[in-house]
Amino acid sequence: MLPIDEAFRKFKSRLELNDKEQQNAIARHTEVREYMDTKFKSRSFLTGSYKRHTKTKPLKDVDIFFVLDEPTRDYRAKAPSVVVDDFYNALVAKYGSKAVRKQDRSINIDFGVLVDTKDNTDYRILSIDAVPAVACGTDYEIPDIPLGKWIKTNPEIHATKAIAAHQAYSSEWKGLVRMVKYWNNNPKHGSDKPIKPSFLIEVMALQCLYGGFGGQFDREMQSLFSTLADRIFEDWPDPAGLGPPISNGMDQTRKERAKKLLTAAASEATVAIDHVRKGRNGEALKAWRDLFGPKFPLS
Ligand SMILES: Nc1ncnc2c1ncn2[C@@H]1O[C@H](COP(=O)(O)OP(=O)(O)OP(=O)(O)O)[C@@H](O)[C@H]1O
Ligand SMILES: [Mg+2]
């Protein structure tokens, strides 16, 4: 029988990027970047959770910043929708209107990859988010369509904070973040994820995981779900102190739902831990599988 801690280690490694996935991600982002180079004067780099290794599975929405050079930089003087429209039209010309979608701050390119019942994608990434950006000192500004303005961000600061948190947590912090993000994606919640945006999970984890890794994944997860439930109503500013609060992505109703689902996850975790204590390892594995989804191993 698979011991719980080993099950968690297997789960953790299943949520990590393997070589084949990395090769596919490189091929896809290189293709998009090379194409966009022919359309816009910009330099591009990978960012977001993909770059920070806090992305969960199935692997989708790999973020690429396209930092516009002169003269395309005068987009900055215009409404955010102008650059988003132009990026959209350029991408539609290559990938077709069925594959390309405008989002609040980026354009999503969907590669039409199918996800099987075990959340496998044959080592392929599902999609890329192309984010137009302009440099602003050492920070960047990106368009925000619903706000109707450009917002400041700094991916380097987010990355530095994630690295520091990871190191302070015996290099288990990123793995735990990926696990909660995987829980957030569990189809049992319906099409609406409990926590939105999922970056909020990472932002909350910067504060909710503290005091060092206790050594047992099941207990870490139980206490993390419980702390996230307790603190979901708080305001969560941008950790870099630049952009709008990350918690603005959820209204009161959404927060109430998130609290309910996080509290339920914490209780399910307590039950699973109790199963182990009473020697019912198989029951514990099933409880964790039900909580997280198909990538949590039963054997
Ligand atoms: N409100 C904000 N203010 C400033 N920067 C932000 C804000 N929201 C997101 N960002 C930055 O933009 C990046 C991409 O945002 P996104 O919503 O794709 O999150 P993510 O961390 O990549 O998570 P996911 O795994 O959901 O893709 C974030 O990683 C963060 O660096
Ligand atoms: Mg992202």
PDB file of all heavy atoms in Angstrom, residues 47-50 52 54-56 60-63 65 105 129 131 142 151-155 158 181 193 197-199 202 238 240 242-246, ligand 1:
ATOM      1  N   THR A  47       6.804  34.725 -18.550  1.00  0.00           N
ATOM      2  CA  THR A  47       6.538  35.283 -17.226  1.00  0.00           C
ATOM      3  C   THR A  47       5.411  34.497 -16.558  1.00  0.00           C
ATOM      4  O   THR A  47       5.119  33.376 -16.968  1.00  0.00           O
ATOM      5  CB  THR A  47       6.237  36.803 -17.364  1.00  0.00           C
ATOM      6  OG1 THR A  47       5.968  37.346 -16.087  1.00  0.00           O
ATOM      7  CG2 THR A  47       5.053  37.073 -18.264  1.00  0.00           C
ATOM      8  N   GLY A  48       4.799  35.074 -15.533  1.00  0.00           N
ATOM      9  CA  GLY A  48       3.679  34.412 -14.857  1.00  0.00           C
ATOM     10  C   GLY A  48       4.094  33.132 -14.150  1.00  0.00           C
ATOM     11  O   GLY A  48       5.280  32.883 -13.901  1.00  0.00           O
ATOM     12  N   SER A  49       3.100  32.319 -13.849  1.00  0.00           N
ATOM     13  CA  SER A  49       3.355  31.126 -13.041  1.00  0.00           C
ATOM     14  C   SER A  49       4.205  30.102 -13.791  1.00  0.00           C
ATOM     15  O   SER A  49       4.911  29.314 -13.167  1.00  0.00           O
ATOM     16  CB  SER A  49       2.036  30.505 -12.590  1.00  0.00           C
ATOM     17  OG  SER A  49       1.253  30.190 -13.703  1.00  0.00           O
ATOM     18  N   TYR A  50       4.148  30.118 -15.127  1.00  0.00           N
ATOM     19  CA  TYR A  50       4.986  29.168 -15.882  1.00  0.00           C
ATOM     20  C   TYR A  50       6.461  29.457 -15.589  1.00  0.00           C
ATOM     21  O   TYR A  50       7.234  28.558 -15.265  1.00  0.00           O
ATOM     22  CB  TYR A  50       4.708  29.280 -17.385  1.00  0.00           C
ATOM     23  CG  TYR A  50       5.598  28.385 -18.224  1.00  0.00           C
ATOM     24  CD1 TYR A  50       5.308  27.040 -18.377  1.00  0.00           C
ATOM     25  CD2 TYR A  50       6.749  28.887 -18.827  1.00  0.00           C
ATOM     26  CE1 TYR A  50       6.133  26.204 -19.117  1.00  0.00           C
ATOM     27  CE2 TYR A  50       7.582  28.067 -19.568  1.00  0.00           C
ATOM     28  CZ  TYR A  50       7.272  26.734 -19.711  1.00  0.00           C
ATOM     29  OH  TYR A  50       8.105  25.914 -20.446  1.00  0.00           O
ATOM     30  N   ARG A  52       7.674  31.023 -13.066  1.00  0.00           N
ATOM     31  CA  ARG A  52       7.987  30.852 -11.640  1.00  0.00           C
ATOM     32  C   ARG A  52       7.873  29.420 -11.152  1.00  0.00           C
ATOM     33  O   ARG A  52       8.075  29.150  -9.973  1.00  0.00           O
ATOM     34  CB  ARG A  52       7.049  31.719 -10.781  1.00  0.00           C
ATOM     35  CG  ARG A  52       7.251  33.211 -10.870  1.00  0.00           C
ATOM     36  CD  ARG A  52       6.499  33.931  -9.750  1.00  0.00           C
ATOM     37  NE  ARG A  52       5.078  33.631  -9.779  1.00  0.00           N
ATOM     38  CZ  ARG A  52       4.178  34.288 -10.502  1.00  0.00           C
ATOM     39  NH1 ARG A  52       4.549  35.309 -11.235  1.00  0.00           N
ATOM     40  NH2 ARG A  52       2.915  33.934 -10.472  1.00  0.00           N
ATOM     41  N   THR A  54       5.081  27.780 -10.714  1.00  0.00           N
ATOM     42  CA  THR A  54       3.919  27.605  -9.836  1.00  0.00           C
ATOM     43  C   THR A  54       2.681  27.294 -10.674  1.00  0.00           C
ATOM     44  O   THR A  54       1.562  27.407 -10.187  1.00  0.00           O
ATOM     45  CB  THR A  54       3.679  28.857  -8.963  1.00  0.00           C
ATOM     46  OG1 THR A  54       3.684  30.017  -9.810  1.00  0.00           O
ATOM     47  CG2 THR A  54       4.751  29.005  -7.901  1.00  0.00           C
ATOM     48  N   LYS A  55       2.880  26.901 -11.916  1.00  0.00           N
ATOM     49  CA  LYS A  55       1.777  26.534 -12.802  1.00  0.00           C
ATOM     50  C   LYS A  55       1.376  25.105 -12.481  1.00  0.00           C
ATOM     51  O   LYS A  55       2.214  24.268 -12.184  1.00  0.00           O
ATOM     52  CB  LYS A  55       2.299  26.672 -14.231  1.00  0.00           C
ATOM     53  CG  LYS A  55       1.387  26.355 -15.303  1.00  0.00           C
ATOM     54  CD  LYS A  55       0.434  27.293 -15.872  1.00  0.00           C
ATOM     55  CE  LYS A  55       0.489  28.604 -16.439  1.00  0.00           C
ATOM     56  NZ  LYS A  55      -0.745  29.370 -16.174  1.00  0.00           N
ATOM     57  N   THR A  56       0.055  24.835 -12.531  1.00  0.00           N
ATOM     58  CA  THR A  56      -0.388  23.464 -12.267  1.00  0.00           C
ATOM     59  C   THR A  56      -0.661  22.739 -13.580  1.00  0.00           C
ATOM     60  O   THR A  56      -0.378  23.258 -14.656  1.00  0.00           O
ATOM     61  CB  THR A  56      -1.604  23.483 -11.307  1.00  0.00           C
ATOM     62  OG1 THR A  56      -1.771  22.199 -10.729  1.00  0.00           O
ATOM     63  CG2 THR A  56      -2.886  23.921 -12.005  1.00  0.00           C
ATOM     64  N   LYS A  60      -1.622  25.130 -19.102  1.00  0.00           N
ATOM     65  CA  LYS A  60      -2.241  26.057 -20.050  1.00  0.00           C
ATOM     66  C   LYS A  60      -1.940  27.508 -19.681  1.00  0.00           C
ATOM     67  O   LYS A  60      -1.457  27.780 -18.588  1.00  0.00           O
ATOM     68  CB  LYS A  60      -3.747  25.829 -20.116  1.00  0.00           C
ATOM     69  CG  LYS A  60      -4.462  25.991 -18.800  1.00  0.00           C
ATOM     70  CD  LYS A  60      -5.939  25.723 -19.031  1.00  0.00           C
ATOM     71  CE  LYS A  60      -6.761  26.327 -17.956  1.00  0.00           C
ATOM     72  NZ  LYS A  60      -8.154  26.306 -18.204  1.00  0.00           N
ATOM     73  N   ASP A  61      -2.235  28.400 -20.612  1.00  0.00           N
ATOM     74  CA  ASP A  61      -2.051  29.838 -20.402  1.00  0.00           C
ATOM     75  C   ASP A  61      -0.622  30.201 -19.983  1.00  0.00           C
ATOM     76  O   ASP A  61      -0.403  30.883 -18.977  1.00  0.00           O
ATOM     77  CB  ASP A  61      -3.029  30.369 -19.329  1.00  0.00           C
ATOM     78  CG  ASP A  61      -4.484  30.040 -19.630  1.00  0.00           C
ATOM     79  OD1 ASP A  61      -4.784  29.706 -20.784  1.00  0.00           O
ATOM     80  OD2 ASP A  61      -5.312  30.113 -18.708  1.00  0.00           O
ATOM     81  N   VAL A  62       0.339  29.727 -20.744  1.00  0.00           N
ATOM     82  CA  VAL A  62       1.738  30.119 -20.505  1.00  0.00           C
ATOM     83  C   VAL A  62       1.861  31.600 -20.894  1.00  0.00           C
ATOM     84  O   VAL A  62       1.542  31.974 -22.026  1.00  0.00           O
ATOM     85  CB  VAL A  62       2.693  29.243 -21.350  1.00  0.00           C
ATOM     86  CG1 VAL A  62       4.116  29.778 -21.310  1.00  0.00           C
ATOM     87  CG2 VAL A  62       2.631  27.792 -20.868  1.00  0.00           C
ATOM     88  N   ASP A  63       2.278  32.443 -19.940  1.00  0.00           N
ATOM     89  CA  ASP A  63       2.305  33.890 -20.193  1.00  0.00           C
ATOM     90  C   ASP A  63       3.585  34.329 -20.902  1.00  0.00           C
ATOM     91  O   ASP A  63       4.690  33.983 -20.471  1.00  0.00           O
ATOM     92  CB  ASP A  63       2.240  34.668 -18.866  1.00  0.00           C
ATOM     93  CG  ASP A  63       0.914  34.481 -18.155  1.00  0.00           C
ATOM     94  OD1 ASP A  63      -0.100  34.982 -18.661  1.00  0.00           O
ATOM     95  OD2 ASP A  63       0.897  33.821 -17.094  1.00  0.00           O
ATOM     96  N   PHE A  65       5.230  38.032 -22.067  1.00  0.00           N
ATOM     97  CA  PHE A  65       5.175  39.498 -22.155  1.00  0.00           C
ATOM     98  C   PHE A  65       5.824  39.923 -23.475  1.00  0.00           C
ATOM     99  O   PHE A  65       6.928  39.471 -23.789  1.00  0.00           O
ATOM    100  CB  PHE A  65       5.986  40.125 -21.002  1.00  0.00           C
ATOM    101  CG  PHE A  65       5.163  40.544 -19.811  1.00  0.00           C
ATOM    102  CD1 PHE A  65       3.998  39.878 -19.479  1.00  0.00           C
ATOM    103  CD2 PHE A  65       5.577  41.606 -19.011  1.00  0.00           C
ATOM    104  CE1 PHE A  65       3.254  40.258 -18.373  1.00  0.00           C
ATOM    105  CE2 PHE A  65       4.837  41.988 -17.894  1.00  0.00           C
ATOM    106  CZ  PHE A  65       3.674  41.314 -17.583  1.00  0.00           C
ATOM    107  N   ARG A 105      -6.490  41.127 -19.923  1.00  0.00           N
ATOM    108  CA  ARG A 105      -5.170  41.755 -20.032  1.00  0.00           C
ATOM    109  C   ARG A 105      -4.291  41.112 -21.091  1.00  0.00           C
ATOM    110  O   ARG A 105      -3.100  41.412 -21.172  1.00  0.00           O
ATOM    111  CB  ARG A 105      -4.436  41.654 -18.689  1.00  0.00           C
ATOM    112  CG  ARG A 105      -5.117  42.411 -17.583  1.00  0.00           C
ATOM    113  CD  ARG A 105      -4.458  42.142 -16.248  1.00  0.00           C
ATOM    114  NE  ARG A 105      -5.195  42.768 -15.175  1.00  0.00           N
ATOM    115  CZ  ARG A 105      -5.134  42.386 -13.919  1.00  0.00           C
ATOM    116  NH1 ARG A 105      -4.334  41.394 -13.568  1.00  0.00           N
ATOM    117  NH2 ARG A 105      -5.853  43.002 -12.999  1.00  0.00           N
ATOM    118  N   ASP A 129      -0.861  32.772 -23.295  1.00  0.00           N
ATOM    119  CA  ASP A 129      -1.408  34.116 -23.126  1.00  0.00           C
ATOM    120  C   ASP A 129      -0.367  35.119 -23.609  1.00  0.00           C
ATOM    121  O   ASP A 129       0.734  35.197 -23.041  1.00  0.00           O
ATOM    122  CB  ASP A 129      -1.712  34.408 -21.642  1.00  0.00           C
ATOM    123  CG  ASP A 129      -2.997  33.754 -21.163  1.00  0.00           C
ATOM    124  OD1 ASP A 129      -3.784  33.278 -22.006  1.00  0.00           O
ATOM    125  OD2 ASP A 129      -3.213  33.707 -19.932  1.00  0.00           O
ATOM    126  N   VAL A 131       0.740  38.800 -23.688  1.00  0.00           N
ATOM    127  CA  VAL A 131       0.451  40.009 -22.910  1.00  0.00           C
ATOM    128  C   VAL A 131       1.225  41.190 -23.493  1.00  0.00           C
ATOM    129  O   VAL A 131       2.458  41.213 -23.434  1.00  0.00           O
ATOM    130  CB  VAL A 131       0.883  39.824 -21.425  1.00  0.00           C
ATOM    131  CG1 VAL A 131       0.414  41.001 -20.568  1.00  0.00           C
ATOM    132  CG2 VAL A 131       0.401  38.499 -20.852  1.00  0.00           C
ATOM    133  N   ILE A 142       0.805  47.117 -18.319  1.00  0.00           N
ATOM    134  CA  ILE A 142       0.057  46.228 -19.218  1.00  0.00           C
ATOM    135  C   ILE A 142      -1.396  46.737 -19.310  1.00  0.00           C
ATOM    136  O   ILE A 142      -1.890  47.362 -18.375  1.00  0.00           O
ATOM    137  CB  ILE A 142       0.098  44.752 -18.733  1.00  0.00           C
ATOM    138  CG1 ILE A 142      -0.489  44.590 -17.321  1.00  0.00           C
ATOM    139  CG2 ILE A 142       1.524  44.197 -18.758  1.00  0.00           C
ATOM    140  CD1 ILE A 142      -0.630  43.144 -16.850  1.00  0.00           C
ATOM    141  N   ILE A 151      -2.109  49.151 -16.281  1.00  0.00           N
ATOM    142  CA  ILE A 151      -1.739  48.937 -14.882  1.00  0.00           C
ATOM    143  C   ILE A 151      -0.262  48.563 -14.777  1.00  0.00           C
ATOM    144  O   ILE A 151       0.320  48.011 -15.707  1.00  0.00           O
ATOM    145  CB  ILE A 151      -2.607  47.830 -14.217  1.00  0.00           C
ATOM    146  CG1 ILE A 151      -2.409  46.470 -14.915  1.00  0.00           C
ATOM    147  CG2 ILE A 151      -4.074  48.221 -14.206  1.00  0.00           C
ATOM    148  CD1 ILE A 151      -2.873  45.289 -14.102  1.00  0.00           C
ATOM    149  N   LYS A 152       0.303  48.880 -13.629  1.00  0.00           N
ATOM    150  CA  LYS A 152       1.733  48.582 -13.408  1.00  0.00           C
ATOM    151  C   LYS A 152       1.898  47.158 -12.890  1.00  0.00           C
ATOM    152  O   LYS A 152       1.055  46.644 -12.137  1.00  0.00           O
ATOM    153  CB  LYS A 152       2.290  49.542 -12.357  1.00  0.00           C
ATOM    154  CG  LYS A 152       2.764  50.850 -12.914  1.00  0.00           C
ATOM    155  CD  LYS A 152       3.750  51.488 -11.922  1.00  0.00           C
ATOM    156  CE  LYS A 152       4.534  52.620 -12.533  1.00  0.00           C
ATOM    157  NZ  LYS A 152       3.723  53.698 -13.078  1.00  0.00           N
ATOM    158  N   THR A 153       2.992  46.538 -13.278  1.00  0.00           N
ATOM    159  CA  THR A 153       3.317  45.223 -12.734  1.00  0.00           C
ATOM    160  C   THR A 153       4.828  45.040 -12.735  1.00  0.00           C
ATOM    161  O   THR A 153       5.552  45.801 -13.395  1.00  0.00           O
ATOM    162  CB  THR A 153       2.625  44.093 -13.524  1.00  0.00           C
ATOM    163  OG1 THR A 153       2.853  42.837 -12.865  1.00  0.00           O
ATOM    164  CG2 THR A 153       3.129  43.989 -14.956  1.00  0.00           C
ATOM    165  N   ASN A 154       5.287  44.061 -11.981  1.00  0.00           N
ATOM    166  CA  ASN A 154       6.708  43.744 -11.997  1.00  0.00           C
ATOM    167  C   ASN A 154       6.916  42.253 -11.736  1.00  0.00           C
ATOM    168  O   ASN A 154       6.990  41.821 -10.587  1.00  0.00           O
ATOM    169  CB  ASN A 154       7.468  44.594 -10.966  1.00  0.00           C
ATOM    170  CG  ASN A 154       8.968  44.454 -11.143  1.00  0.00           C
ATOM    171  OD1 ASN A 154       9.466  43.348 -11.374  1.00  0.00           O
ATOM    172  ND2 ASN A 154       9.689  45.552 -11.058  1.00  0.00           N
ATOM    173  N   PRO A 155       7.000  41.497 -12.822  1.00  0.00           N
ATOM    174  CA  PRO A 155       7.134  40.036 -12.672  1.00  0.00           C
ATOM    175  C   PRO A 155       8.399  39.613 -11.926  1.00  0.00           C
ATOM    176  O   PRO A 155       8.394  38.576 -11.249  1.00  0.00           O
ATOM    177  CB  PRO A 155       7.141  39.504 -14.104  1.00  0.00           C
ATOM    178  CG  PRO A 155       7.193  40.672 -15.014  1.00  0.00           C
ATOM    179  CD  PRO A 155       6.911  41.913 -14.226  1.00  0.00           C
ATOM    180  N   HIS A 158       7.596  39.518  -8.247  1.00  0.00           N
ATOM    181  CA  HIS A 158       6.787  38.328  -7.923  1.00  0.00           C
ATOM    182  C   HIS A 158       7.658  37.075  -7.894  1.00  0.00           C
ATOM    183  O   HIS A 158       7.510  36.224  -7.020  1.00  0.00           O
ATOM    184  CB  HIS A 158       5.653  38.164  -8.938  1.00  0.00           C
ATOM    185  CG  HIS A 158       4.668  39.296  -8.919  1.00  0.00           C
ATOM    186  ND1 HIS A 158       3.918  39.658 -10.000  1.00  0.00           N
ATOM    187  CD2 HIS A 158       4.337  40.168  -7.930  1.00  0.00           C
ATOM    188  CE1 HIS A 158       3.141  40.692  -9.689  1.00  0.00           C
ATOM    189  NE2 HIS A 158       3.398  41.029  -8.430  1.00  0.00           N
ATOM    190  N   LYS A 181      -3.619  24.908  -6.489  1.00  0.00           N
ATOM    191  CA  LYS A 181      -4.112  25.327  -7.805  1.00  0.00           C
ATOM    192  C   LYS A 181      -4.775  24.148  -8.530  1.00  0.00           C
ATOM    193  O   LYS A 181      -5.743  24.333  -9.264  1.00  0.00           O
ATOM    194  CB  LYS A 181      -2.970  25.892  -8.657  1.00  0.00           C
ATOM    195  CG  LYS A 181      -2.568  27.319  -8.281  1.00  0.00           C
ATOM    196  CD  LYS A 181      -1.475  27.789  -9.225  1.00  0.00           C
ATOM    197  CE  LYS A 181      -1.339  29.292  -9.271  1.00  0.00           C
ATOM    198  NZ  LYS A 181      -0.394  29.708 -10.341  1.00  0.00           N
ATOM    199  N   LYS A 193     -14.109  28.244 -11.065  1.00  0.00           N
ATOM    200  CA  LYS A 193     -13.109  27.886 -10.051  1.00  0.00           C
ATOM    201  C   LYS A 193     -13.432  28.568  -8.727  1.00  0.00           C
ATOM    202  O   LYS A 193     -13.886  29.720  -8.732  1.00  0.00           O
ATOM    203  CB  LYS A 193     -11.727  28.355 -10.502  1.00  0.00           C
ATOM    204  CG  LYS A 193     -11.233  27.596 -11.685  1.00  0.00           C
ATOM    205  CD  LYS A 193      -9.938  28.185 -12.176  1.00  0.00           C
ATOM    206  CE  LYS A 193      -9.640  27.541 -13.500  1.00  0.00           C
ATOM    207  NZ  LYS A 193      -8.411  27.877 -14.100  1.00  0.00           N
ATOM    208  N   PRO A 197      -8.469  35.367  -9.485  1.00  0.00           N
ATOM    209  CA  PRO A 197      -7.629  34.547 -10.347  1.00  0.00           C
ATOM    210  C   PRO A 197      -6.830  33.537  -9.516  1.00  0.00           C
ATOM    211  O   PRO A 197      -6.667  33.729  -8.305  1.00  0.00           O
ATOM    212  CB  PRO A 197      -6.683  35.579 -10.974  1.00  0.00           C
ATOM    213  CG  PRO A 197      -6.521  36.627  -9.912  1.00  0.00           C
ATOM    214  CD  PRO A 197      -7.858  36.696  -9.208  1.00  0.00           C
ATOM    215  N   SER A 198      -6.298  32.493 -10.165  1.00  0.00           N
ATOM    216  CA  SER A 198      -5.558  31.508  -9.379  1.00  0.00           C
ATOM    217  C   SER A 198      -4.239  32.080  -8.853  1.00  0.00           C
ATOM    218  O   SER A 198      -3.650  31.532  -7.925  1.00  0.00           O
ATOM    219  CB  SER A 198      -5.354  30.216 -10.159  1.00  0.00           C
ATOM    220  OG  SER A 198      -4.587  30.443 -11.293  1.00  0.00           O
ATOM    221  N   PHE A 199      -3.801  33.211  -9.425  1.00  0.00           N
ATOM    222  CA  PHE A 199      -2.631  33.918  -8.877  1.00  0.00           C
ATOM    223  C   PHE A 199      -2.880  34.289  -7.408  1.00  0.00           C
ATOM    224  O   PHE A 199      -1.950  34.359  -6.604  1.00  0.00           O
ATOM    225  CB  PHE A 199      -2.345  35.169  -9.725  1.00  0.00           C
ATOM    226  CG  PHE A 199      -1.149  35.992  -9.295  1.00  0.00           C
ATOM    227  CD1 PHE A 199       0.078  35.415  -9.028  1.00  0.00           C
ATOM    228  CD2 PHE A 199      -1.245  37.381  -9.174  1.00  0.00           C
ATOM    229  CE1 PHE A 199       1.183  36.176  -8.634  1.00  0.00           C
ATOM    230  CE2 PHE A 199      -0.160  38.159  -8.796  1.00  0.00           C
ATOM    231  CZ  PHE A 199       1.052  37.560  -8.526  1.00  0.00           C
ATOM    232  N   GLU A 202      -1.402  31.882  -4.993  1.00  0.00           N
ATOM    233  CA  GLU A 202       0.037  32.081  -4.780  1.00  0.00           C
ATOM    234  C   GLU A 202       0.290  33.290  -3.872  1.00  0.00           C
ATOM    235  O   GLU A 202       1.142  33.238  -2.965  1.00  0.00           O
ATOM    236  CB  GLU A 202       0.700  32.262  -6.153  1.00  0.00           C
ATOM    237  CG  GLU A 202       2.201  32.349  -6.044  1.00  0.00           C
ATOM    238  CD  GLU A 202       2.901  32.316  -7.400  1.00  0.00           C
ATOM    239  OE1 GLU A 202       2.327  31.814  -8.387  1.00  0.00           O
ATOM    240  OE2 GLU A 202       4.039  32.793  -7.434  1.00  0.00           O
ATOM    241  N   ASP A 238      -1.321  43.529  -4.578  1.00  0.00           N
ATOM    242  CA  ASP A 238      -0.237  43.027  -5.422  1.00  0.00           C
ATOM    243  C   ASP A 238       1.022  42.935  -4.555  1.00  0.00           C
ATOM    244  O   ASP A 238       1.417  43.934  -3.938  1.00  0.00           O
ATOM    245  CB  ASP A 238      -0.035  44.017  -6.582  1.00  0.00           C
ATOM    246  CG  ASP A 238       1.232  43.735  -7.392  1.00  0.00           C
ATOM    247  OD1 ASP A 238       1.780  42.617  -7.280  1.00  0.00           O
ATOM    248  OD2 ASP A 238       1.664  44.647  -8.132  1.00  0.00           O
ATOM    249  N   ALA A 240       3.939  43.096  -5.285  1.00  0.00           N
ATOM    250  CA  ALA A 240       4.939  44.070  -5.706  1.00  0.00           C
ATOM    251  C   ALA A 240       4.493  45.493  -5.374  1.00  0.00           C
ATOM    252  O   ALA A 240       5.246  46.451  -5.580  1.00  0.00           O
ATOM    253  CB  ALA A 240       5.198  43.943  -7.211  1.00  0.00           C
ATOM    254  N   LEU A 242       2.228  47.319  -6.835  1.00  0.00           N
ATOM    255  CA  LEU A 242       2.095  48.137  -8.049  1.00  0.00           C
ATOM    256  C   LEU A 242       0.706  48.083  -8.683  1.00  0.00           C
ATOM    257  O   LEU A 242       0.109  49.104  -8.969  1.00  0.00           O
ATOM    258  CB  LEU A 242       3.138  47.686  -9.084  1.00  0.00           C
ATOM    259  CG  LEU A 242       4.600  47.883  -8.707  1.00  0.00           C
ATOM    260  CD1 LEU A 242       5.506  47.085  -9.648  1.00  0.00           C
ATOM    261  CD2 LEU A 242       4.967  49.360  -8.763  1.00  0.00           C
ATOM    262  N   GLY A 243       0.216  46.884  -8.919  1.00  0.00           N
ATOM    263  CA  GLY A 243      -1.052  46.720  -9.636  1.00  0.00           C
ATOM    264  C   GLY A 243      -2.246  46.757  -8.691  1.00  0.00           C
ATOM    265  O   GLY A 243      -2.094  46.924  -7.480  1.00  0.00           O
ATOM    266  N   PRO A 244      -3.453  46.595  -9.258  1.00  0.00           N
ATOM    267  CA  PRO A 244      -4.655  46.555  -8.415  1.00  0.00           C
ATOM    268  C   PRO A 244      -4.643  45.315  -7.520  1.00  0.00           C
ATOM    269  O   PRO A 244      -3.991  44.323  -7.850  1.00  0.00           O
ATOM    270  CB  PRO A 244      -5.794  46.483  -9.435  1.00  0.00           C
ATOM    271  CG  PRO A 244      -5.184  46.080 -10.727  1.00  0.00           C
ATOM    272  CD  PRO A 244      -3.740  46.459 -10.687  1.00  0.00           C
ATOM    273  N   PRO A 245      -5.357  45.364  -6.369  1.00  0.00           N
ATOM    274  CA  PRO A 245      -5.367  44.202  -5.476  1.00  0.00           C
ATOM    275  C   PRO A 245      -5.753  42.926  -6.218  1.00  0.00           C
ATOM    276  O   PRO A 245      -6.652  42.939  -7.058  1.00  0.00           O
ATOM    277  CB  PRO A 245      -6.438  44.562  -4.445  1.00  0.00           C
ATOM    278  CG  PRO A 245      -6.500  46.045  -4.460  1.00  0.00           C
ATOM    279  CD  PRO A 245      -6.180  46.463  -5.869  1.00  0.00           C
ATOM    280  N   ILE A 246      -5.058  41.852  -5.896  1.00  0.00           N
ATOM    281  CA  ILE A 246      -5.311  40.578  -6.570  1.00  0.00           C
ATOM    282  C   ILE A 246      -6.692  40.062  -6.160  1.00  0.00           C
ATOM    283  O   ILE A 246      -7.379  39.409  -6.938  1.00  0.00           O
ATOM    284  CB  ILE A 246      -4.209  39.540  -6.217  1.00  0.00           C
ATOM    285  CG1 ILE A 246      -2.803  40.157  -6.332  1.00  0.00           C
ATOM    286  CG2 ILE A 246      -4.320  38.300  -7.090  1.00  0.00           C
ATOM    287  CD1 ILE A 246      -2.468  40.814  -7.638  1.00  0.00           C
TER     288      ILE A 246
HETATM  289  N1  LIG B   1      -3.253  42.725 -10.089  1.00  0.00           N
HETATM  290  C1  LIG B   1      -2.009  42.538 -10.546  1.00  0.00           C
HETATM  291  N2  LIG B   1      -1.086  43.514 -10.394  1.00  0.00           N
HETATM  292  C2  LIG B   1       0.163  43.349 -10.844  1.00  0.00           C
HETATM  293  N3  LIG B   1       0.601  42.247 -11.476  1.00  0.00           N
HETATM  294  C3  LIG B   1      -0.255  41.229 -11.663  1.00  0.00           C
HETATM  295  C4  LIG B   1      -1.608  41.316 -11.212  1.00  0.00           C
HETATM  296  N4  LIG B   1      -2.226  40.165 -11.540  1.00  0.00           N
HETATM  297  C5  LIG B   1      -1.314  39.391 -12.146  1.00  0.00           C
HETATM  298  N5  LIG B   1      -0.114  40.014 -12.231  1.00  0.00           N
HETATM  299  C6  LIG B   1       1.132  39.503 -12.833  1.00  0.00           C
HETATM  300  O1  LIG B   1       0.814  38.925 -14.078  1.00  0.00           O
HETATM  301  C7  LIG B   1       1.190  37.549 -14.091  1.00  0.00           C
HETATM  302  C8  LIG B   1       0.239  36.735 -14.943  1.00  0.00           C
HETATM  303  O2  LIG B   1      -1.061  36.773 -14.392  1.00  0.00           O
HETATM  304  P1  LIG B   1      -1.952  35.467 -14.346  1.00  0.00           P
HETATM  305  O3  LIG B   1      -3.319  35.871 -13.917  1.00  0.00           O
HETATM  306  O4  LIG B   1      -1.791  34.674 -15.590  1.00  0.00           O
HETATM  307  O5  LIG B   1      -1.339  34.675 -13.108  1.00  0.00           O
HETATM  308  P2  LIG B   1      -0.329  33.474 -13.010  1.00  0.00           P
HETATM  309  O6  LIG B   1       0.526  33.765 -11.831  1.00  0.00           O
HETATM  310  O7  LIG B   1       0.384  33.260 -14.299  1.00  0.00           O
HETATM  311  O8  LIG B   1      -1.237  32.261 -12.630  1.00  0.00           O
HETATM  312  P3  LIG B   1      -1.924  31.125 -13.522  1.00  0.00           P
HETATM  313  O9  LIG B   1      -1.287  29.865 -13.060  1.00  0.00           O
HETATM  314  O10 LIG B   1      -3.356  31.221 -13.200  1.00  0.00           O
HETATM  315  O11 LIG B   1      -1.646  31.437 -14.969  1.00  0.00           O
HETATM  316  C9  LIG B   1       1.193  37.147 -12.623  1.00  0.00           C
HETATM  317  O12 LIG B   1       2.016  36.020 -12.407  1.00  0.00           O
HETATM  318  C10 LIG B   1       1.750  38.406 -11.992  1.00  0.00           C
HETATM  319  O13 LIG B   1       3.160  38.445 -12.122  1.00  0.00           O
END
